[in-house]
Amino acid sequence: MIRGEKIGLRARQESDVAVLHTELYEDVAMTSRADTRAWKPIAAGAAESPYAVGEPSEVFVPFSVADLETGELAGAAVLWGIDAHNRSAHLGLSLRPAFRGRGLGTDVVRTLCEYGFAVRGLRRLQVETLTDNQAMIGAAKAAGFQYEGTLRRASWVYGRELDEVVFGLLHDEWAPAVRP
């Protein structure tokens, strides 16, 4: 487990899948905001579930997010689109409804940065999110990400075209957490 201040990033467990699938994926409106793929009905136990436990991949690393205080499953996080040649990746997260608004998102972003920069040796991390996703924008900024631009009408979200913003963080701009 990689520990932040409030959360830990750990391997996905089979017991996580049904909870994440039900609370995150089955919320169609929210899933359409967070995923570039069109939502379709998928059973929690199906291999196609975005939260299914799968084989390790060099380009996609899924984590379950654990609340360190309670040990409860708080959500999911991912480093995706990992490009080993250019040493870059994208990151994303989704918290269960009961864990939103508690400041965990910023800690998840910082901990994903630790994994990407310190463990994987990446040189650049990127966040893309909708322009109205103030929680993710705030978490990215608090972790040191810099605004890089707006992609006009880049997302199709539940029948509407929405703008996305792009934030980037370079390894030499990253401020690692001080560990005791």
Side-chain angles (χ1 to χ4, degrees):
M1 177 183 292
I2 299 175
R3 294 178 181 275
E5 290 180 24
K6 300 177 182 182
I7 61 89
L9 299 178
R10 62 169 173 75
R12 180 83 30 88
Q13 300 170 1
E14 287 294 339
S15 59
D16 299 339
V17 176
V19 175
L20 295 172
H21 191 92
T22 299
E23 291 192 30
L24 301 178
Y25 186 74
E26 291 298 329
D27 182 343
V28 179
M30 186 60 71
T31 296
S32 71
R33 294 176 54 80
D35 197 326
T36 58
R37 298 167 292 189
W39 186 91
K40 58 186 176 185
I42 299 172
E48 295 83 19
S49 170
Y51 300 105
V53 176
E55 294 298 316
S57 167
E58 290 300 313
V59 297
F60 180 83
V61 181
F63 294 98
S64 286
V65 178
D67 181 321
L68 290 177
E69 186 177 316
T70 66
E72 290 181 87
L73 176 65
V78 63
L79 222 58
W80 62 276
I82 299 170
D83 180 338
H85 176 74
N86 291 306
R87 296 171 67 186
S88 64
H90 306 258
L91 62 88
L93 68 103
S94 190
L95 295 174
R96 295 172 57 202
F99 291 87
R100 295 177 189 154
R102 296 169 40 184
L104 301 180
T106 297
D107 198 30
V108 173
V109 171
R110 287 182 175 138
T111 308
L112 283 169
C113 289
E114 182 174 342
Y115 175 74
F117 292 134
V119 176
R120 295 295 296 253
L122 299 176
R123 312 303 276 170
R124 173 185 165 75
L125 293 175
Q126 183 169 310
V127 170
E128 302 91 1
T129 192
L130 298 172
T131 56
D132 65 352
N133 187 348
Q134 293 306 310
M136 187 62 184
I137 291 169
K141 286 180 176 179
F145 282 76
Q146 300 296 310
Y147 170 79
E148 294 184 339
T150 299
L151 305 173
R152 298 176 311 133
R153 297 189 338 203
S155 290
W156 180 255
V157 178
Y158 217 85
R160 296 178 32 218
E161 295 172 315
L162 297 177
D163 296 347
E164 287 184 12
V165 286
V166 178
F167 288 86
L169 180 64
L170 305 177
H171 69 97
D172 53 357
E173 299 168 337
W174 173 58
V178 177
R179 302 284 181 208

